[in-house]
Amino acid sequence: MKGALGFLGLLALAVAALAQAPPPLTPQEREEAARLYFDRCAGCHGVLRKGATGPALDPKRMAERGLEYLKAVIHGGLPRGMPDWGRQGILDERQVEISARFLLEEPPEPPFLSFDEIAATWKVHVPPERRPDRPLHGRNWENFFGQVLRDLGQVAIIDGDTKELVAIVPTGFATHILRSSATGRYFMAIGRDGKASLIDLWMDPPQVVAESKPCIDARSIESSKFKGYEDRYAVVGCYWPPVMVVLDGLTLEPLKMVSTISYAKGAGELVLESRVAAIVASHFNPEWIINLKESGQTWLVDYAYLDKKGRPLPITVIDTELFLHDGGWALKRYFIVAANQVNKLIVIDTKTREFVAEVEAGVLPHPGRGSNWNHPTYGPVWATGNIGSPEVTVVGVDPENHPEYAWRVVRRIELPYTGNLFIKTHPNSPWVIVDFPMSPSPEAAASLCAIDRYRLEVARCWEVPGAREFRARMVHPEFNKGGTEVWVSAWGAKDTPTFIVVYDALTLEEKARITGDWVRTPTGKFNVYNTAYDIY
Amino acid sequence: MKGALGFLGLLALAVAALAQAPPPLTPQEREEAARLYFDRCAGCHGVLRKGATGPALDPKRMAERGLEYLKAVIHGGLPRGMPDWGRQGILDERQVEISARFLLEEPPEPPFLSFDEIAATWKVHVPPERRPDRPLHGRNWENFFGQVLRDLGQVAIIDGDTKELVAIVPTGFATHILRSSATGRYFMAIGRDGKASLIDLWMDPPQVVAESKPCIDARSIESSKFKGYEDRYAVVGCYWPPVMVVLDGLTLEPLKMVSTISYAKGAGELVLESRVAAIVASHFNPEWIINLKESGQTWLVDYAYLDKKGRPLPITVIDTELFLHDGGWALKRYFIVAANQVNKLIVIDTKTREFVAEVEAGVLPHPGRGSNWNHPTYGPVWATGNIGSPEVTVVGVDPENHPEYAWRVVRRIELPYTGNLFIKTHPNSPWVIVDFPMSPSPEAAASLCAIDRYRLEVARCWEVPGAREFRARMVHPEFNKGGTEVWVSAWGAKDTPTFIVVYDALTLEEKARITGDWVRTPTGKFNVYNTAYDIY
């Protein structure tokens, strides 16, 4: 073909290619674009861009789509989950442009951290022997809420009884979750930046007593909860590097690293970026249930032998499904986790330690931890929302007493919008509360729905007054300890304070609004008692 | 500094650098050098040249040494294990030259294999249902020897009673070991090229009934031996890619891949090239003991649940020492493995599943599987040779009845030479037979020694007549089933047949020589009974 074209033809092709190809990024632009990608894109598309919740972003395929297309998508989003970063004002025009050009280049591989590097990040601010042996304040700390202030890198501790701000503690950037220690006394926070913080709620005011940073990017943390091992160990699941790190539970000192690089479902390709998604602590064994997203494996990790020579750590590797994301307990025995690539729910019986079932969910199931209740016909059920389809999927979870419904979808409850992230209920509430923060519609993102747990249908939906004025997305319903209130955050931009709205959990009437200059980018919030005792 | 030098100074430096730098390899040279490196160097230095039994070969450090130095070492060897590839005639002058230049370039990373790629190598020549249910020949197959013909990629099956050649079967290149299945009926061979072969000794003649190639480079294979699981599964430990592959025991069908990429001792750097060294099957549990060389971890891998949903595979990760190599049983309970970087022996109690002791060995301990006997003073002992020091290290191994000697060196028996690779004994023999194939001295390499097990000293050494004429190295003593004979191979060059010498195990007089055109590059040999029942 070269011969047929001749020199002038080749020259014309080269000129055309040059006209299409955008200029390469300057080093400064590349650094900024890499940071933006890491903060905003890597969560769904992967640091190495192999895809997960979002599609793979291969530079060749990106080049076929072209720069203008990429800019349009980054600016305006796509249905089924791609946010409209430009339209929301989170990325400006120049940032959209360099982000698009960054996708045309080969992805850089961030460093793997050594044990020495993570050990160097370990700090104990208050050693265990200097911590109090009883709460130093008179507050009802089991009804504290830990409210993540995402873009401030802070967690606000709020008194659930009085709605007063008790403390603001510094954590990692964009805390992804808070988990309670076995006793509930400590909150463990894990930042998107991989920093783990141990917050002692008995101190006055509550404060960070220890921290370490086992990862560059992380999503999960959990403590040891089995009888005899309460709060002895903690574990952090990293997104990058792909590793699980065992820590001392009371000081967060790194003890042992286990690479999660693994083969897809034990019988596929080697997955370098095999990220740790949800982790929970078993109630039946001294075990953590650790879910690897891209390799579709669930690991049962036994922490009972770590004090022996060589720190033996039994890990039972079970091949489940791609891409495991988050999940929660049913009957405190069955751990149910979403497999996003195949739109399924994976069920692990943590008593028998077996992979017992797969259930068809909606599109991109996203349970958070899901919701549990007892239905008069179906018996105990567990439900998940789905990011990509307007549906709450309700599953029977009691093979012993309701075998005919066990691991079957007993109802697909239709929602008015897509873009759900979290649903939540409480034993004392008749409702399952549903948010829509991932919806591209401002009206949907500002709205909530309540599902009638008996009729298995949406009872009412409402737009939260004031949310749209802040361009806020209502996110993450959470009940108080008694189940008499449900709190939801108005997630806005960092430059404007928003609010946390408190509803009566029976009437759904607005009962209070928590506001203040500190209420910026509130996202997840965690009630101590409900988090410590897995009530949802 | 650049400013001070000026243009002419810089030019002079550049010319000097050019004068020192050898020309880059041509693509053909690079391909050949990569193959030579893989065949001859990677075993000790690693594919990625990070070092293990041999030192790391970093291109920058190699450049500091310079081309002439590298050529000299590759040609003439170094004390403590670096072979004299040129002097031995294994590499010619041109091959030494391109090998040296190859070390100045960045190492290429060979591909990771996917499950589909390895599954495509699986072949069943005779399915289990078409195999005989009793031996089809009248021979005493439990006294068969499998003799590796290293550079032919073959294994010779020799009748230990009659010394007749029974069959020659094709296997992978440079078979590293043979292991017996639990029943002894099958030999499993693993080639340096990663090919696993299942040889049915009941067929007439014995033949390869199944094969698969889970790796590019491998050293270990084992079957499932626990009661109720006999011959059900097999496992291959790969050098490259760094992976452990579980196979069906009767067909070698690949079932599950587990990456061995891991952190050094669970608390160091991430080791990409974390190679699988020795594997043994426990007598107390349905477990394999799997040793990772560069990451210094011993994994206890439980194969009892593989038929459940998701193929659960419990792996107990124990941090032991760098760099684990080979090892064997003491009292069929304690697995003792050499840690080459620290010149130690690591002891795993496979009954309690604990890491119980570390013992100081000589320089570069290399037990093979070691040797066991009962000493009147010290009770049960286990011994290892050492590549780098002229010493057999004898260790007490009975904490229950001889606790004062347990996990202590009870004697360091002085040898006349370094370069030992294997020692071997048998319950019915008074001797431990010692070889010296890694010695740079032709006299030593052609010699054997016999240690008096009671006096714990060398009783006699002798040069094997005829070995030096073939430039052969005497290697790998192995007893027959009854312990009345010990066989040793004369390892020569591929182009000349050599011999296997058979000694009376009591008098040490030469009893027979097995010769023939087929006896080329004989190295390891494995008696069926002694291999199946761990007698050594």
Side-chain angles (χ1 to χ4, degrees):
Chain A
M1 190 175 136
K2 275 186 191 174
L5 275 170
F7 175 74
L8 283 180
L10 280 175
L11 187 68
L13 276 180
V15 168
L18 279 173
Q20 283 176 359
L25 293 166
T26 67
Q28 291 90 332
E29 284 174 334
R30 187 172 297 118
E31 194 184 321
E32 182 181 357
R35 190 182 52 71
L36 292 172
Y37 181 87
F38 196 77
D39 286 349
R40 302 295 175 184
C41 320
C44 290
H45 299 283
V47 174
L48 305 180
R49 305 188 202 151
K50 302 288 187 192
T53 309
L57 304 175
D58 174 65
K60 273 185 203 150
R61 201 152 155 259
M62 294 298 98
E64 287 162 22
R65 299 295 181 95
L67 182 66
E68 291 309 315
Y69 174 85
L70 297 178
K71 282 162 60 180
V73 170
I74 296 169
H75 175 79
L78 280 177
R80 310 218 321 206
M82 173 70 194
D84 46 346
W85 299 114
R87 196 178 294 143
Q88 281 184 44
I90 290 171
L91 301 185
D92 65 27
E93 202 175 329
R94 191 188 56 82
Q95 289 172 322
V96 168
E97 156 104 19
I98 63 171
S99 295
R101 281 158 58 200
F102 183 69
L103 296 183
L104 298 171
E105 299 189 350
E106 286 296 324
E109 184 178 290
F112 289 91
L113 302 175
S114 72
F115 186 84
D116 286 350
E117 285 170 294
I118 69 168
T121 67
W122 172 47
K123 288 177 203 149
V124 177
H125 302 294
V126 184
E129 64 275 13
R130 296 220 328 261
R131 295 176 201 162
D133 54 7
R134 58 185 173 77
L136 294 185
H137 47 67
R139 294 179 184 270
N140 177 17
W141 60 275
E142 284 197 326
N143 195 30
F144 279 0
F145 282 72
Q147 169 67 61
V148 173
L149 303 173
R150 189 186 185 283
D151 291 3
L152 304 186
Q154 296 175 338
V155 166
I157 308 297
I158 307 172
D159 186 324
D161 290 359
T162 66
K163 318 284 181 296
E164 289 169 309
L165 175 67
V166 180
I168 290 182
V169 299
T171 58
F173 170 75
T175 290
H176 191 246
I177 56 164
L178 295 176
R179 280 285 161 91
S180 288
S181 65
T183 57
R185 170 197 180 150
Y186 295 105
F187 262 142
M188 290 182 304
I190 184 73
R192 273 272 329 243
D193 59 357
K195 188 200 259 192
S197 309
L198 187 70
I199 304 162
D200 185 352
L201 300 175
W202 285 8
M203 299 191 77
D204 188 15
Q207 60 182 272
V208 173
V209 290
E211 62 183 61
S212 64
K213 193 171 176 303
C215 333
I216 296 171
D217 188 3
R219 293 294 186 284
S220 50
I221 190 166
E222 182 57 294
S223 69
S224 57
K225 291 192 169 168
F226 191 66
K227 198 168 156 56
Y229 295 90
E230 293 91 341
D231 301 356
R232 181 143 7 138
Y233 299 109
V235 63
V236 167
C238 301
Y239 257 31
W240 190 270
V243 65
M244 160 185 105
V245 183
V246 179
L247 311 170
D248 180 278
L250 291 178
T251 67
L252 301 190
E253 179 187 8
L255 301 179
K256 182 153 177 153
M257 297 172 82
V258 178
S259 169
T260 55
I261 296 173
S262 43
Y263 288 83
K265 295 175 69 176
E269 304 270 345
L270 181 73
V271 183
L272 190 63
E273 191 173 356
S274 175
R275 307 186 287 184
V276 183
I279 302 180
V280 293
S282 169
H283 301 277
F284 290 96
N285 297 289
E287 267 181 347
W288 293 305
I289 294 93
I290 294 194
N291 296 281
L292 308 193
K293 187 188 291 268
E294 286 82 359
S295 63
Q297 293 189 326
T298 301
W299 290 8
L300 310 181
V301 177
D302 183 341
Y303 48 72
Y305 306 97
L306 281 166
D307 57 355
K308 298 204 174 199
K309 186 171 169 69
R311 297 199 188 283
L313 188 68
I315 301 171
T316 299
V317 175
I318 305 177
D319 302 319
T320 50
E321 265 303 345
L322 311 176
F323 298 129
L324 301 178
H325 191 73
D326 53 358
W329 292 105
L331 300 178
K332 299 197 182 186
R333 168 174 174 174
Y334 303 100
F335 179 67
I336 307 182
V337 58
N340 272 333
Q341 195 188 60
V342 293
N343 296 325
K344 283 184 178 173
L345 303 167
I346 297 305
V347 185
I348 304 289
D349 181 345
T350 62
K351 188 172 177 187
T352 64
R353 310 176 69 254
E354 290 179 306
F355 170 23
V356 290
E358 294 158 84
V359 183
E360 293 285 338
V363 177
L364 283 184
H366 188 278
R369 305 186 76 177
S371 287
N372 288 278
W373 69 93
N374 229 311
H375 188 271
T377 307
Y378 305 116
V381 295
W382 178 93
T384 181
N386 300 274
I387 296 174
S389 53
E391 169 190 326
V392 166
T393 314
V394 186
V395 179
V397 296
D398 184 12
E400 290 179 4
N401 301 307
H402 297 78
E404 69 276 33
Y405 301 118
W407 319 130
R408 296 183 176 213
V409 175
V410 298
R411 191 68 60 90
R412 295 185 188 276
I413 302 172
E414 201 182 330
L415 300 175
Y417 315 110
T418 59
N420 165 250
L421 267 191
F422 297 102
I423 69 173
K424 198 67 64 78
T425 191
H426 187 282
N428 295 343
S429 172
W431 313 111
V432 179
I433 307 299
V434 182
D435 68 11
F436 305 95
M438 297 295 280
S439 171
S441 142
E443 178 200 331
S447 295
L448 298 168
C449 290
I451 288 171
D452 180 326
R453 300 202 313 199
Y454 172 67
R455 302 165 64 94
L456 299 180
E457 60 184 35
V458 170
R460 52 176 288 212
C461 296
W462 67 98
E463 187 178 324
V464 178
R468 278 170 90 170
E469 288 83 322
F470 291 120
R471 302 172 77 173
R473 292 169 275 167
M474 299 308 299
V475 68
H476 204 260
E478 175 84 347
F479 285 81
N480 66 350
K481 180 184 172 189
T484 58
E485 296 172 356
V486 57
W487 297 26
V488 192
S489 307
W491 179 12
K494 187 177 161 184
D495 54 9
T496 312
T498 59
F499 59 87
I500 302 150
V501 62
V502 179
Y503 292 102
D504 182 290
L506 196 61
T507 66
L508 299 177
E509 277 173 29
E510 184 175 324
K511 202 171 154 183
R513 247 172 219 230
I514 299 167
T515 57
D517 188 63
W518 56 273
V519 188
R520 291 166 189 258
T521 62
T523 51
K525 74 208 69 57
F526 300 85
N527 177 268
V528 169
Y529 189 85
N530 295 340
T531 304
Y533 297 98
D534 291 315
I535 292 163
Y536 44 82
Chain B
M1 190 175 132
K2 274 186 194 175
L5 274 171
F7 175 74
L8 283 179
L10 280 174
L11 187 67
L13 275 181
V15 168
L18 278 173
Q20 284 175 358
L25 294 166
T26 66
Q28 291 90 331
E29 285 174 332
R30 187 173 295 115
E31 195 184 322
E32 183 183 354
R35 189 182 52 72
L36 291 172
Y37 182 87
F38 195 77
D39 286 349
R40 303 294 175 186
C41 319
C44 290
H45 299 283
V47 173
L48 304 181
R49 303 188 204 152
K50 302 287 186 193
T53 309
L57 304 175
D58 174 63
K60 272 185 203 150
R61 202 153 154 260
M62 294 298 99
E64 287 164 22
R65 299 294 181 96
L67 182 65
E68 291 310 313
Y69 175 84
L70 297 178
K71 281 162 62 178
V73 170
I74 295 169
H75 175 80
L78 281 176
R80 304 214 329 201
M82 173 70 193
D84 46 346
W85 298 114
R87 196 179 294 143
Q88 280 184 45
I90 290 170
L91 300 185
D92 65 27
E93 203 175 327
R94 191 187 55 82
Q95 289 173 321
V96 168
E97 157 103 21
I98 62 172
S99 294
R101 280 157 60 201
F102 183 69
L103 295 183
L104 299 171
E105 299 189 348
E106 286 295 324
E109 184 178 288
F112 289 93
L113 302 175
S114 71
F115 186 83
D116 287 349
E117 285 171 294
I118 69 167
T121 67
W122 173 47
K123 288 177 204 150
V124 177
H125 301 295
V126 183
E129 63 276 14
R130 297 218 330 258
R131 294 177 201 161
D133 54 6
R134 58 187 172 77
L136 293 185
H137 47 67
R139 293 179 184 271
N140 178 17
W141 62 274
E142 284 197 327
N143 196 29
F144 279 179
F145 281 73
Q147 169 66 62
V148 172
L149 303 174
R150 190 185 185 284
D151 290 5
L152 304 184
Q154 296 175 340
V155 167
I157 309 297
I158 308 172
D159 185 325
D161 290 0
T162 67
K163 319 285 182 295
E164 288 170 308
L165 174 67
V166 180
I168 290 182
V169 299
T171 58
F173 170 74
T175 290
H176 191 248
I177 56 162
L178 295 176
R179 280 286 162 91
S180 288
S181 65
T183 59
R185 170 197 180 150
Y186 295 104
F187 262 143
M188 291 182 304
I190 184 73
R192 275 270 331 243
D193 60 357
K195 188 201 260 190
S197 309
L198 188 70
I199 303 163
D200 185 352
L201 299 176
W202 285 8
M203 298 191 79
D204 188 13
Q207 61 183 271
V208 173
V209 291
E211 62 183 62
S212 63
K213 193 171 176 305
C215 333
I216 295 172
D217 188 3
R219 293 294 185 284
S220 51
I221 189 165
E222 183 57 294
S223 69
S224 57
K225 292 192 168 167
F226 191 66
K227 199 171 156 53
Y229 296 90
E230 293 91 342
D231 301 356
R232 182 146 4 140
Y233 300 110
V235 63
V236 166
C238 300
Y239 259 31
W240 191 271
V243 66
M244 160 184 104
V245 183
V246 180
L247 311 170
D248 181 277
L250 292 178
T251 67
L252 303 190
E253 179 187 6
L255 300 178
K256 181 153 177 153
M257 298 172 82
V258 178
S259 170
T260 55
I261 296 171
S262 43
Y263 288 82
K265 296 176 68 178
E269 302 270 346
L270 182 73
V271 183
L272 190 61
E273 190 172 358
S274 174
R275 305 186 289 183
V276 183
I279 303 180
V280 293
S282 169
H283 300 277
F284 290 96
N285 296 290
E287 266 180 348
W288 292 303
I289 294 92
I290 294 193
N291 295 280
L292 307 193
K293 188 189 291 270
E294 286 81 0
S295 63
Q297 292 188 328
T298 300
W299 289 8
L300 310 181
V301 177
D302 183 341
Y303 48 72
Y305 305 97
L306 281 167
D307 58 353
K308 298 203 175 200
K309 186 172 170 70
R311 297 198 188 284
L313 187 69
I315 301 170
T316 299
V317 175
I318 305 177
D319 301 320
T320 49
E321 263 305 344
L322 310 176
F323 298 128
L324 302 179
H325 191 73
D326 52 1
W329 292 105
L331 300 179
K332 298 196 183 188
R333 169 174 173 172
Y334 303 100
F335 179 67
I336 307 182
V337 59
N340 273 332
Q341 194 186 61
V342 293
N343 297 325
K344 284 185 178 171
L345 303 168
I346 297 305
V347 185
I348 304 289
D349 181 345
T350 63
K351 188 172 177 185
T352 63
R353 310 177 67 254
E354 290 179 309
F355 171 22
V356 289
E358 294 158 83
V359 184
E360 292 285 340
V363 177
L364 283 186
H366 188 278
R369 304 185 78 177
S371 287
N372 288 278
W373 69 93
N374 228 311
H375 187 271
T377 307
Y378 305 117
V381 295
W382 178 93
T384 181
N386 301 274
I387 295 173
S389 54
E391 169 191 326
V392 165
T393 315
V394 186
V395 179
V397 295
D398 184 13
E400 290 180 3
N401 301 307
H402 298 80
E404 69 277 32
Y405 301 118
W407 319 131
R408 296 185 176 209
V409 176
V410 298
R411 190 68 59 90
R412 297 185 188 273
I413 301 173
E414 201 182 330
L415 300 176
Y417 316 110
T418 59
N420 165 250
L421 267 191
F422 298 101
I423 69 173
K424 196 69 63 79
T425 192
H426 187 280
N428 296 343
S429 172
W431 312 111
V432 178
I433 308 300
V434 182
D435 67 11
F436 304 96
M438 298 296 279
S439 171
S441 143
E443 179 200 330
S447 295
L448 298 169
C449 291
I451 288 171
D452 181 326
R453 299 200 314 198
Y454 171 66
R455 301 165 66 95
L456 299 180
E457 59 184 36
V458 170
R460 52 175 288 209
C461 296
W462 66 99
E463 187 177 325
V464 179
R468 278 170 89 169
E469 288 83 322
F470 291 119
R471 303 173 78 173
R473 293 170 274 167
M474 298 308 300
V475 68
H476 203 260
E478 175 84 347
F479 285 81
N480 66 350
K481 180 183 170 190
T484 58
E485 295 172 355
V486 57
W487 298 25
V488 192
S489 307
W491 178 13
K494 188 177 159 184
D495 53 10
T496 312
T498 58
F499 59 88
I500 302 150
V501 61
V502 179
Y503 292 102
D504 182 290
L506 196 60
T507 65
L508 297 178
E509 278 174 29
E510 184 175 324
K511 201 173 155 181
R513 248 172 218 229
I514 298 167
T515 58
D517 189 63
W518 57 272
V519 186
R520 290 165 188 259
T521 62
T523 51
K525 74 206 69 60
F526 300 86
N527 177 268
V528 168
Y529 189 86
N530 295 340
T531 306
Y533 297 97
D534 290 315
I535 292 164
Y536 42 82

